[in-house]
Amino acid sequence: MTHLPPPAEELRLLDTELRQLDARRALLLARRAWLITALRPPEAPPPPPPPVRRPETTAPRVQNVLLVLGGALLTIAAIAFTLVSWGRMGIAGRALVLGAVTLAALGSPVLLLRHRLRSTAEAVAGLGLALTVLDVYALHEVALPDTNGLGYAAIASALLAALWTAYGLALGGTRRPTGEAAAPARLTLRLPLPTALAAAQLPLILWAAAADAGAPVMTGALLVTAALDTAVALRVPVRSVCLVAAVGAYGLGGWGSLAAGWLSWTATGPSTIARAAALLLFAAAIALAAAWRLLDTNVATWVASAGGLLTVAALGGVPRSSLPGEWTVPGYLVCAVAVLAAVRTRLPEPMRRGLALAAASVQAVAVVWALPPVAVALLGPVARVGRVWTGAPSTAREAVTPVGVPWPPYAATAPLVLVVVATVLAVAVRGTEWRPRATIGASALVWAAALVLPAALDIPYWAGMSAQGLTIVAALACVARSAEPRPVLFLPALVSSVSLACLSLAAEGTTLGVLAALTVLFAAVSGRSRLAPVAAVAYATALACAVGASLGWQSPYIALLVLLVPVVAALLAARLAGSPARVPVEVTGAVAGLLAVGLAVPDPPLLALVLALCAVIAAGTAVREDRRPAGYAATALFVLAAWVRLACWGIGSVEAYTLPVTVPTLLVGAFGRRKDPLTSSWTAYGAGLSVTLVPSLLTAWIDPDWPRPLLLGVAALAVTLMGARHRLRAPLVLGGGVLALDALHELAPYLVQMAGALPRWVPPALAGLVLLALGATYEQRIRDARRVREVLGRMR
């Protein structure tokens, strides 16, 4: 303390010591907290809360179940009392018991509603309604046992419906007790009014059954009940009543409509048809009135559609009794067109849409009815393919009807039906979106009508052929005048032409004339459709076959005539550069060439000539820059022609067939390597060498003589030396492999003889020595193999 520092230095030292003490204290406190935590026992996790048992159903549901069960049990008890214990009491006792119970059951809901116990009131009211039914039954059993059961049931159901309606209206609501300060609220019973409406479904039906009325009266009862249900459903705002009324309207109305339709279809006299028509019109009026009042657009549309169909059924069935059977469908179709005219009126939009849907449905059914004669007229001529030039039939219907297939009955008016529907499509559909589709549909229907008209009218054969030809000319004229090529306009002409071509097979002269005319017609519009040149080439092929058959030529000689078609197709394709029809024309020409080859198969020398001519056509096509791949087809056809010619000469040497392929292939490969030195030898020479060496090797292995193996070995040696000289992998590997296998074939007899002379233990011993030698020099062998692979890899 003799040397005290200055005050400032002493203050700095004190601050330093205090900071160190604070840091040490913080470390000791952290250690203390960790030790306390480590020594404290672990706290147990808090127990999970006890599971809460939730009720499986709600209180209102339990209440309703109990009330329904109670009411059902009381009703069952009342029924049992009425049926079993009734006879044990006198008349006064019976009346007193049933009257008291019924009055108590019907009066109790008043008190229950005042105390706002609606569910209980509904259950007791249901019991009271059931008791009224038992009262009616008891009255019949005791006082009126001899009355007609159905008649009594009809009157009783009407009285019960009226009683229940009055009861439901009387209990339309009660006020709260006067002691409650809240505003008065009305509580109503929901059960009496729907139950009354359900009972009201029975009186008319039971009355008709009790009177033993016929089917028209029963149908009228159904429809009248449905009309009442419809009125209730549209005017009564109570939801439960509307639901019962809707079920009754749809159910009874549908049942009555079907019954009226069946009466109209099976009616034979004017009076019965008139009654059925009146019933159908009544049902239609109910449906249309409901559609007028309905607010839901979709429901109104479908209900109006049903009304339109019922109207068509009613009006279309009236003239059916005085017209022949083939006019039945046209009659309904005319009525549908008349209903469609209502679409232009000021009816609500849902009704107009529903009537249009009904008219369209009838027209669709009429078109389906007219399709069978169209199918016969279209597909029937195909049967003529198996009976070529057997004689022309007398009528157009006989021409299109195959043997054993009858002409569809009532088909005379099928063209009229198709034309009427086509006219409606052309006139009625005016929207910008559906107008093109309607035009296409109308065109298709007119074409179908023109197709079936000759057979429907049963005109002479030549007149029918002329009419169909005019149809094709008109269709092609539409194709020629169209602003842009449309396949939809061309397809009817194409289909009609196929049918006409099949029809023309009946007579020789007709076949030639029709095929020539079709070829010219489709060639004339070849610039307007990509399918027209294809059709022209196809009909030209058929014409060539027909001309050859007309001249009495055999099929191989007809093939030479058919070859004119691929020539014309190739020349035409050269002029159609950039046209979409170019490829279809070339494909059709190729198919005609294949047909020529198939026709020439019975005569091998002529087959070789046809193959060579096809090769010339393919080579001429390959001259064009964008058709170079056709050269491969030309080469293959030339090779096939050479092989067929060699087979005709009786040459059996395999080299005679392979060398014509090998030599040009090797020349092409050499030219390719000279043009591109980087071309692999496998690409240039592999295919050419394999074509000759591999078949020759296979033949040499089964040849017992020595000249062929010797010549093959010399050739393989030359190929191997050539590959080694020019360091080419393909000749070296192919030539060396064939040479080794050929030498093995020559040494095989001697090896077999030597193996037979040696003891049996020698082969295993030799194999063991070989394995030991290979194992001892394994590394050296691997190095040598790598060296050989590197040498072969440096070859091209």
Side-chain angles (χ1 to χ4, degrees):
M1 298 298 292
T2 56
H3 302 286
L4 294 176
E9 182 66 20
E10 185 178 4
L11 180 60
R12 185 183 63 79
L13 293 174
L14 290 176
D15 291 338
T16 303
E17 291 292 337
L18 288 174
R19 284 195 297 271
Q20 291 177 356
L21 289 175
D22 290 339
R24 180 64 179 170
R25 186 174 183 277
L27 179 63
L28 293 176
L29 289 175
R31 180 65 179 175
R32 180 178 180 277
W34 182 85
L35 291 173
I36 292 174
T37 304
L39 293 175
R40 183 179 299 169
E43 296 181 359
V52 179
R53 182 172 298 175
R54 297 181 179 180
E56 297 181 358
T57 184
T58 61
R61 292 183 179 179
V62 174
Q63 168 190 303
N64 293 335
V65 170
L66 294 178
L67 291 175
V68 170
L69 284 177
L73 292 176
L74 288 176
T75 303
I76 293 173
I79 294 173
F81 171 77
T82 304
L83 297 178
V84 177
S85 302
W86 186 256
R88 301 176 185 177
M89 302 178 64
I91 296 177
R94 300 170 191 172
L96 181 62
V97 171
L98 276 180
V101 173
T102 303
L103 290 176
L106 293 177
S108 298
V110 178
L111 299 176
L112 293 173
L113 288 176
R114 289 181 179 178
H115 292 81
R116 307 193 62 79
L117 300 175
R118 171 183 284 177
S119 299
T120 306
E122 295 282 357
V124 176
L127 175 61
L129 299 179
L131 289 175
T132 56
V133 177
L134 294 177
D135 290 340
V136 170
Y137 170 75
L139 179 63
H140 178 268
E141 292 295 325
V142 174
L144 303 170
D146 298 330
T147 58
N148 187 1
L150 291 176
Y152 180 80
I155 298 174
S157 59
L159 293 177
L160 287 177
L163 175 64
W164 292 347
T165 301
Y167 179 70
L169 295 176
L171 294 183
T174 61
R175 295 183 178 272
R176 291 186 180 184
T178 57
E180 296 185 9
R186 302 181 65 85
L187 296 179
T188 60
L189 287 178
R190 301 173 182 174
L191 185 61
L193 291 180
T195 308
L197 184 59
Q201 311 297 312
L202 302 176
L204 291 179
I205 300 175
L206 293 177
W207 169 79
D212 199 13
V217 177
M218 179 62 74
T219 304
L222 292 172
L223 293 177
V224 170
T225 307
L228 296 176
D229 290 332
T230 304
V232 171
L234 294 175
R235 293 184 176 275
V236 177
V238 182
R239 184 177 180 181
S240 57
V241 176
C242 288
L243 179 61
V244 175
V247 172
Y250 283 115
L252 298 180
W255 186 9
S257 300
L258 292 177
W262 178 254
L263 290 175
S264 175
W265 185 257
T266 57
T268 55
S271 59
T272 56
I273 291 180
R275 285 196 297 269
L279 292 173
L280 287 172
L281 287 176
F282 181 49
I286 296 172
L288 294 176
W292 182 279
R293 294 294 304 272
L294 284 173
L295 299 179
D296 192 335
T297 304
N298 294 328
V299 176
T301 299
W302 290 108
V303 173
S305 176
L309 290 175
L310 291 171
T311 304
V312 172
L315 299 179
V318 172
R320 190 166 53 85
S321 61
S322 58
L323 293 177
E326 58 266 16
W327 289 96
T328 299
V329 174
Y332 285 104
L333 182 60
V334 171
C335 296
V337 175
V339 169
L340 187 61
V343 177
R344 301 299 178 185
T345 61
R346 295 183 178 181
L347 293 174
E349 177 63 23
M351 290 191 66
R352 288 190 284 132
R353 189 163 52 247
L355 293 177
L357 180 61
S361 301
V362 175
Q363 294 176 53
V365 173
V367 170
V368 171
W369 173 82
L371 286 182
V374 175
V376 173
L378 185 62
L379 302 177
V382 179
R384 291 280 172 184
V385 176
R387 299 180 287 117
V388 179
W389 298 349
T390 56
S394 58
T395 62
R397 182 179 298 180
E398 182 183 353
V400 300
T401 306
V403 178
V405 178
W407 179 252
Y410 306 121
T413 56
L416 176 62
V417 169
L418 296 173
V419 170
V420 170
V421 177
T423 305
V424 171
L425 283 177
V427 174
V429 181
R430 299 180 180 179
T432 57
E433 180 181 358
W434 291 93
R435 183 64 179 177
R437 303 177 187 178
T439 303
I440 293 174
S443 302
L445 291 175
V446 171
W447 165 74
L451 185 67
V452 76
L453 183 61
L457 298 179
D458 202 14
I459 61 178
Y461 170 72
W462 301 106
M465 293 280 293
S466 302
Q468 194 161 349
L470 292 176
T471 302
I472 298 172
V473 172
L476 293 179
C478 294
V479 173
R481 292 183 179 181
S482 60
E484 57 182 6
R486 301 178 65 181
V488 178
L489 298 177
F490 180 78
L491 287 178
L494 182 61
V495 174
S496 297
S497 65
V498 174
S499 178
L500 181 62
C502 294
L503 282 176
S504 67
L505 297 177
E508 179 179 347
T510 306
T511 303
L512 297 176
V514 168
L515 292 178
L518 292 176
T519 303
V520 173
L521 286 175
F522 284 100
V525 296
S526 59
R528 303 300 302 168
S529 175
R530 68 178 61 184
L531 296 177
V534 177
V537 174
Y539 285 125
T541 304
L543 178 61
C545 295
V547 170
S550 178
L551 296 175
W553 292 0
Q554 298 295 326
S555 61
Y557 297 96
I558 297 177
L560 297 176
L561 192 59
V562 173
L563 281 179
L564 294 175
V565 177
V567 173
V568 175
L571 296 176
L572 181 61
R575 298 181 61 87
L576 293 175
S579 174
R582 184 179 186 182
V583 175
V585 168
E586 291 178 340
V587 172
T588 310
V591 173
L594 291 177
L595 176 61
V597 172
L599 292 174
V601 167
D603 192 343
L606 199 57
L607 175 61
L609 176 60
V610 170
L611 289 171
L613 293 175
C614 291
V616 172
I617 298 172
T621 303
V623 172
R624 301 201 305 269
E625 186 67 28
D626 57 342
R627 290 294 183 265
R628 297 298 188 197
Y632 297 107
T635 303
L637 290 171
F638 275 124
V639 171
L640 288 176
W643 285 356
V644 173
R645 177 53 61 183
L646 290 173
C648 294
W649 290 338
I651 297 176
S653 178
V654 68
E655 289 76 13
Y657 296 89
T658 58
L659 286 176
V661 180
T662 297
V663 173
T665 305
L666 292 178
L667 292 177
V668 172
F671 178 76
R673 277 185 60 83
R674 179 174 295 181
K675 188 176 181 180
D676 185 9
L678 297 180
T679 304
S680 172
S681 61
W682 286 107
T683 304
Y685 306 118
L689 294 174
S690 301
V691 168
T692 295
L693 291 177
V694 175
S696 298
L697 178 62
L698 296 176
T699 306
W701 270 81
I702 60 176
D703 192 352
D705 297 330
W706 58 271
R708 180 185 295 275
L710 178 60
L711 295 175
L712 178 61
V714 172
L717 178 60
V719 171
T720 304
L721 295 176
M722 186 68 67
R725 171 69 179 77
H726 295 282
R727 303 182 67 184
L728 298 175
R729 184 184 301 176
L732 183 62
V733 173
L734 289 175
V738 171
L739 180 61
L741 293 176
D742 186 62
L744 180 62
H745 171 264
E746 292 301 312
L747 294 176
Y750 302 101
L751 294 176
V752 172
Q753 184 178 2
M754 183 175 63
L758 293 176
R760 293 188 175 182
W761 56 268
V762 174
L766 292 176
L769 292 175
V770 170
L771 291 176
L772 289 176
L774 290 175
T777 59
Y778 183 74
E779 185 177 359
Q780 182 66 30
R781 300 298 180 186
I782 292 178
R783 187 165 55 251
D784 294 342
R786 289 176 179 172
R787 203 171 285 171
V788 171
R789 186 178 62 184
E790 292 174 358
V791 171
L792 291 175
R794 287 193 294 271
M795 297 181 182
R796 298 193 299 273

